Amino acid sequence: MSRIEGASLAEVVTRHLHAAGRTIAGEKGGRAANAVTSAVGLGRIDICGNPACPDCAPTDRA
C-alpha cells in the first residue's frame, strides 16, 4: 500500500494511542501514552496551551 498523502503509519498509531490515553485517564493518560510511544520509537504528541498556536489550535476545516 502506497501513501502519497497523509500521515505516516507511525503518526496514526501515536495519535490513536495518545487519544485513547487522554480519553481513559485525562492528561495523565496522555503522558503515559507519550512515554510508551516514545520508548518504542513512534514519537510523541505535545499539545501546548496557547490557543493561537497554528500547530495546536483548532481549525475550521470542513
Side-chain angles (χ1 to χ4, degrees):
M1 184 166 127
S2 173
R3 287 182 177 260
I4 296 172
E5 275 184 41
S8 67
L9 180 59
E11 182 178 359
V12 171
V13 171
T14 301
R15 289 186 181 279
H16 276 83
L17 288 174
H18 190 263
R22 288 182 60 98
T23 299
I24 294 168
E27 186 61 35
K28 190 174 186 177
R31 287 193 304 268
N34 272 339
V36 170
T37 58
S38 183
V40 296
L42 293 175
R44 45 186 301 117
I45 304 294
D46 293 318
I47 300 173
C48 71
N50 180 359
C53 178
D55 292 327
C56 303
T59 62
D60 56 353
R61 284 186 248 167

